[in-house]
Amino acid sequence: MAASAYDCIVIGSGPGGYVAAIRSAQLGMTTAVVEKADIGGRCLNVACIPAKAVLRVADILTEVQEAADFGIHVAAPTVDFGEVTERRRKVVSTLTGGVAGLMKKSAIDVIEGRGSITATVSVRVGADEIEARKGIILATGSVARPIPGTQFGGRVIGTEQAWALTELPASLAVVGAGASGAEIASAYARLGVRVQLFEGLDRVLPSEDADISKVAERGFQRQGIEVRTKTFVEHVQSDEDGVSFTYGGTRGAADYLVIAAGRAPDVEGLGLEAAGVRLTDAGLVEVDSTQRTSADRVYAIGDLVLGPALAHKASDEGVIAAEAISGAQTHPLSYPDIPRATFCKPNVASFGLTEAQARAQGYDVVVGKVSYGAVGAGTVYGDRTGVVKIVGERAYGELLGGHIVGAKSTEMIQELVNVRAMEGGYAEVARMVHGHPTLSEAVMEAARAADGWLIHG
Ligand SMILES: Cc1cc2nc3c(=O)[nH]c(=O)nc-3n(C[C@H](O)[C@H](O)[C@H](O)COP(=O)(O)OP(=O)(O)OC[C@H]3O[C@@H](n4cnc5c(N)ncnc54)[C@H](O)[C@@H]3O)c2cc1C
């Protein structure tokens, strides 16, 4: 049963909210989390984790299909999507069970229900009003947004429904080739679904460096994805069997249309206006560098606030908010240095500025770029097409950005993020000894290229 007051109340139990709650409890505050759906938030239940569980299946299938390149011959593999679904659910329940366990271990009360805030720094859940003595952390995440002229329903689905499919459709049309759309396209195409991928801008993964998008698009085409950039989907009509639409004057059809073209903060019914919480012009909750909103003792984190909509960003903001509420010293986030990872094939990972952004900001830019084929591991492990690109600044050797496309890039990007966090530059990466044969040697070689002395080019 909920108490009538806590030091800190968190609304939402996603990667922002549950981490904030644990940090709050660690700092000695009595803490409660209010959750209207499932513990673990959207990330664990319907987004990051189920997505990666299905992508992992597609990765294994690809490896089996490519095994002949390594001298292993297997009969044509088949996918039992019922078992895939079962495993996906098990992965999710294992991880959400883990979060529930962490709440218990940290003596955090989990209150089921929809929370809203009042002008007196309390949280209302149903008929109960619970006082937050030191602060409230809003961590309610974001919801999918349809494209203009469409609405979700029937065969028009969002990314969360796309990852929750329990049968493999024959065809999917995916709108939006950002991280989420690219992951859906790359997973389902490799599982045997006909996938059309539409992007209004001129390339896939449009927020990545242009060189990286090129390599990714080639990879998508090899998987049979029908990529259409600079193309808008319109006149969407859904019926029982499928969905029809137009793109560039042509009629298209698919079993489902997946809209992966943006999300909006989930602020409905939160009581923000009455409590004096200001929103930005974009509808996000306005916060300072300690996540404090315009309302006294009310903080906001994660997808509700500015910055990349990523789970690890939400978690770190949760730590900052809890520390700020408790009065402990805290460290504001450096948003450009947050790693971004997309788990399509090929994997894409980056941080900081793209080459175009660095040039637009007036830096004297230096670029170091090598393919995985430049180092032994690329050939040994069977990925010579991956690319590491380092964007640096000439005078001081600063690492402005890192961009990797290819196997394991989502793991490898962390090296560059860490070096930058410790105020190292590309010259330092170039001189660090890297194990052999590893793909991380390609990171070292890209740094050497930026520093002007590429060895394996
Ligand atoms: C398909 C997909 C895949 C993704 N993959 C990745 C990935 O691989 N890596 C990554 O870093 N990011 C990924 N993201 C982004 C990531 O999911 C979000 O950035 C992250 O979930 C944000 O965390 P959060 O804590 O702000 O909110 P959420 O995870 O959205 O959790 C918010 C919680 O608040 C609850 N809530 C909302 N309103 C109320 C209320 N009034 N009262 C009580 N509870 C409420 C919701 O039910 C929900 O459980 C993905 C997103 C999508 C859609």
Side-chain angles (χ1 to χ4, degrees):
M1 208 182 82
S4 60
Y6 295 86
D7 292 331
C8 176
I9 303 178
V10 184
I11 306 183
S13 70
Y18 87 75
V19 170
I22 294 173
R23 187 70 186 123
S24 163
Q26 278 174 351
L27 291 163
M29 296 191 281
T30 56
T31 305
V33 175
V34 182
E35 174 56 62
K36 69 173 180 184
D38 296 314
I39 191 96
R42 296 186 182 89
C43 172
L44 272 74
N45 287 287
V46 293
C48 326
I49 295 304
K52 267 81 257 181
V54 178
L55 277 154
R56 173 80 181 121
V57 175
D59 289 347
I60 293 176
L61 181 63
T62 305
E63 292 216 342
V64 173
Q65 286 165 337
E66 292 175 355
D69 296 347
F70 296 78
I72 302 168
H73 298 278
V74 286
T78 54
V79 177
D80 181 329
F81 205 65
E83 286 178 33
V84 171
T85 302
E86 209 33 58
R87 181 176 182 276
R88 164 172 63 72
R89 289 186 178 138
K90 212 160 139 198
V91 168
V92 168
S93 65
T94 303
L95 296 185
T96 53
V99 173
L102 289 173
M103 296 292 101
K104 208 164 166 192
K105 192 169 136 201
S106 308
I108 295 163
D109 283 351
V110 177
I111 303 168
E112 289 176 17
R114 178 186 281 273
S116 60
I117 58 174
T118 71
T120 54
V121 202
S122 295
V123 173
R124 197 172 289 127
V125 187
D128 296 332
E129 193 163 315
I130 311 161
E131 184 192 348
R133 282 184 290 255
K134 295 192 174 170
I136 294 171
I137 301 177
L138 305 174
T140 54
S142 61
V143 286
R145 229 177 18 195
I147 50 172
T150 60
Q151 51 192 22
F152 291 117
R155 296 291 180 131
V156 180
I157 60 176
T159 56
E160 297 173 1
Q161 290 79 29
W163 291 117
L165 290 172
T166 52
E167 281 175 24
L168 274 179
S171 61
L172 282 181
V174 182
V175 178
S180 257
E183 287 186 350
I184 289 167
S186 165
Y188 282 108
R190 285 180 292 147
L191 291 170
V193 176
R194 177 191 170 205
V195 176
Q196 304 169 70
L197 179 60
F198 296 96
E199 171 55 55
L201 296 174
D202 62 351
R203 56 196 171 91
V204 301
L205 299 171
S207 60
E208 297 294 341
D209 189 278
D211 285 341
I212 301 299
S213 294
K214 266 185 221 146
V215 179
E217 184 165 335
R218 279 200 291 272
F220 294 171
Q221 276 160 349
R222 273 199 296 275
Q223 287 154 49
I225 300 172
E226 298 161 40
V227 179
R228 296 196 177 89
T229 51
K230 288 199 254 177
T231 305
F232 292 92
V233 167
E234 293 170 309
H235 307 114
V236 175
Q237 281 191 324
S238 168
D239 61 33
E240 255 176 41
D241 302 323
V243 62
S244 65
F245 50 87
T246 63
Y247 60 94
T250 309
R251 284 212 72 73
D255 286 354
Y256 292 94
L257 181 81
V258 185
I259 301 180
R263 299 180 67 82
D266 184 2
V267 292
E268 203 190 312
L270 260 185
L272 299 188
E273 205 179 333
V277 174
R278 261 199 315 268
L279 300 182
T280 67
D281 291 344
L284 295 161
V285 177
E286 193 181 292
V287 287
D288 68 10
S289 63
T290 63
Q291 308 302 135
R292 195 171 50 181
T293 70
S294 51
D296 183 38
R297 286 176 284 161
V298 179
Y299 292 68
I301 61 173
D303 283 8
L304 278 183
V305 304
L306 198 67
L310 292 168
H312 41 290
K313 173 255 193 192
S315 299
D316 275 57
E317 288 175 337
V319 168
I320 291 168
E323 288 174 347
I325 290 173
S326 78
Q329 201 189 357
T330 193
H331 305 275
L333 275 186
S334 166
Y335 285 97
D337 298 337
I338 294 172
R340 310 174 284 258
T342 304
F343 297 80
C344 51
K345 184 175 165 63
N347 280 187
V348 172
S350 60
F351 85 95
L353 302 179
T354 63
E355 182 180 348
Q357 286 167 340
R359 291 194 191 283
Q361 290 184 23
Y363 283 103
D364 183 4
V365 170
V366 58
V367 169
K369 195 165 92 176
V370 299
S371 74
Y372 281 16
V375 297
T379 307
V380 172
Y381 301 124
D383 183 354
R384 291 176 54 83
T385 57
V387 170
V388 181
K389 177 170 177 178
I390 285 177
V391 178
E393 178 276 334
R394 198 176 306 273
Y396 301 102
E398 195 184 344
L399 267 175
L400 298 174
H403 309 273
I404 314 181
V405 55
K408 310 273 185 224
S409 61
T410 50
E411 304 287 334
M412 293 200 296
I413 195 66
Q414 198 63 39
E415 168 179 2
L416 293 172
V417 171
N418 292 357
V419 168
R420 179 170 162 92
M422 292 175 185
E423 297 182 2
Y426 52 82
E428 281 73 38
V429 179
R431 293 218 169 251
M432 285 172 179
V433 182
H434 286 64
H436 174 77
T438 62
L439 293 172
S440 71
E441 288 173 281
V443 176
M444 173 182 69
E445 288 292 4
R448 287 177 176 169
D451 207 30
W453 56 283
L454 172 65
I455 301 280
H456 299 91

